[in-house]
Amino acid sequence: MNSFGLDLGMGACKLYGPSGSIEMPSQVAIWRDHARGLGGMRNARPPLKVELATGQAFWVGLHAHQWGRPVENVDYDRLSGAPEMHAILYATLTQYVKDHGPVMGPVVLYVGMPLEPLTGEGAAATLNSVRTWLMGSHCWQAGGEAYQVDVATVKITSQATGALFDYLLDPDGGFVAGRKAHMKKEVGIISIGFNTVELLVVQDNAPVQRFTAGSTNGVRRLLELLNTGGLYSLGELDTLLRMGSLSFGDALTVWEREVTGQVERVWGSSWKRFATIISVGGGAVLLNGHLARRFNGRVDTPDQPVMAIARGLYKLAMSQKGK
């Protein structure tokens, strides 16, 4: 069976598999037909239309909020199988098929989730809900074509765990030379996603609880600082961010201080004893220079930090084959 790493991020859904990777912005809007052929105006290319087996239809991907009524639910309930979460996953799988060929099933999904729903009140129920909706046969239509993917096994861990194994393992699931010894040492992980900033310290393949914490202080917070008057949806601002069309002003500095303040409260100066500090996520791209200065150049930011979690989950899957 083929294995995939799946990062169900609030800003984008990331999928990493044997043939490559896909990042699908988690922007969803209720489908509605659009105006065509307005005289003198260019016809904009629509986002992907995804139709669920229930008959519900959504626009998904970049610019989706310009094409229909935005569905902007950034709480953890959506991870338990909300219709818009189905649409985001199906859009991601559709793009994977278009770019890399058919997904041969049944498949194994290694899924990365935020710390809070994994460890907070009701964690067991949340995990059961996520497994329930991801398992089994998935049928949908996208862009007028029919698709089906069968999921045989779902294994769930934290997003930060994916970041750790992306650092430790090579694409075949073996240890990167010189890094296996870090399994016995303390390794710090800073995951800055759209919704959350998560801190995790791992030693001997187990979390160090006093250094582990999460908050909803991710890139969404930066966008909220910029959204004076609430004139834009978060998805619209995320689109502008991805296009390089946002002017940050002082907001980036304010947000950077909020993030590093969270790190200070949880880690203090103890980070100096860590073997390394790994930073991943879209926020790591925005704050890479700030983090490097804050930690005296000891931060390791991988290539493709946005894809690192899904890629690490895929590497973890490769390390488990045959066991």
Side-chain angles (χ1 to χ4, degrees):
M1 290 188 287
N2 283 322
S3 296
F4 291 83
L6 177 64
D7 178 8
L8 295 171
M10 294 295 184
C13 182
K14 282 80 68 176
L15 184 71
Y16 198 99
S19 300
S21 62
I22 290 295
E23 177 188 355
M24 176 61 64
S26 297
Q27 297 174 26
V28 189
I30 302 295
W31 180 84
R32 52 164 290 185
D33 206 357
H34 55 284
R36 295 181 176 87
L38 297 180
M41 299 187 69
R42 178 176 61 87
N43 284 328
R45 183 179 178 181
L48 186 65
K49 179 186 177 184
V50 176
E51 300 172 76
L52 310 188
T54 60
Q56 294 170 288
F58 299 90
W59 295 115
V60 184
L62 212 60
H63 303 296
H65 287 186
Q66 297 178 356
W67 286 77
R69 180 164 58 85
V71 179
E72 201 153 50
N73 174 11
V74 291
D75 63 30
Y76 296 128
D77 287 344
R78 73 187 271 181
L79 299 177
S80 297
E84 67 268 23
M85 198 69 244
H86 281 78
I88 292 168
L89 175 63
Y90 296 163
T92 307
L93 288 167
T94 298
Q95 197 60 52
Y96 188 93
V97 170
K98 287 183 175 181
D99 289 359
H100 305 298
V103 174
M104 306 303 294
V107 303
V108 178
L109 290 181
Y110 277 67
V111 182
M113 288 180 55
L115 284 170
E116 185 176 332
L118 287 179
T119 59
E121 185 177 349
T126 299
L127 289 173
N128 183 62
S129 297
V130 173
R131 283 196 184 93
T132 298
W133 84 265
L134 286 174
M135 286 275 288
S137 183
H138 295 268
C139 301
W140 72 95
Q141 288 195 350
E145 296 185 28
Y147 294 86
Q148 178 173 337
V149 170
D150 299 315
V151 178
T153 305
V154 176
K155 299 190 177 185
I156 301 173
T157 186
S158 70
Q159 293 169 325
T161 298
L164 174 66
F165 283 101
D166 183 59
Y167 171 78
L168 291 173
L169 303 179
D170 64 27
D172 297 321
F175 280 99
V176 174
R179 292 184 178 176
K180 185 175 183 179
H182 286 182
M183 287 288 287
K184 297 293 183 180
K185 300 178 181 179
E186 290 176 318
V187 174
I189 300 157
I190 304 174
S191 176
I192 310 174
F194 185 81
N195 201 44
T196 58
V197 175
E198 299 195 336
L199 306 177
L200 179 69
V201 174
V202 176
Q203 183 177 29
D204 202 15
N205 207 29
V208 180
Q209 295 296 337
R210 75 184 181 101
F211 292 140
T212 297
S215 73
T216 53
N217 206 26
V219 176
R220 181 184 77 171
R221 171 62 179 151
L222 171 62
L223 299 183
E224 288 171 344
L225 290 170
L226 294 169
N227 198 14
T228 305
L231 299 178
Y232 296 87
S233 72
L234 290 174
E236 288 173 318
L237 288 172
D238 185 44
T239 296
L240 293 174
L241 176 62
R242 292 170 183 272
M243 295 173 64
S245 300
L246 275 182
S247 177
F248 295 117
D250 294 331
L252 185 62
T253 301
V254 172
W255 178 58
E256 180 266 329
R257 291 180 63 83
E258 291 182 358
V259 173
T260 55
Q262 177 187 340
V263 178
E264 177 68 26
R265 287 190 297 273
V266 178
W267 287 357
S269 60
S270 297
W271 61 269
K272 296 177 182 178
R273 74 193 208 192
F274 302 161
T276 192
I277 299 170
I278 306 163
S279 69
V280 298
V285 178
L286 291 168
L287 294 180
N288 189 32
H290 299 278
L291 293 176
R293 289 192 296 273
R294 173 66 180 79
F295 296 105
N296 295 336
R298 293 179 57 190
V299 172
D300 184 293
T301 301
D303 67 298
Q304 295 184 296
V306 174
M307 191 58 61
I309 290 171
R311 185 173 60 191
L313 294 168
Y314 175 76
K315 292 178 180 181
L316 177 60
M318 293 300 96
S319 74
Q320 298 297 309
K321 278 198 169 184
K323 293 185 178 179

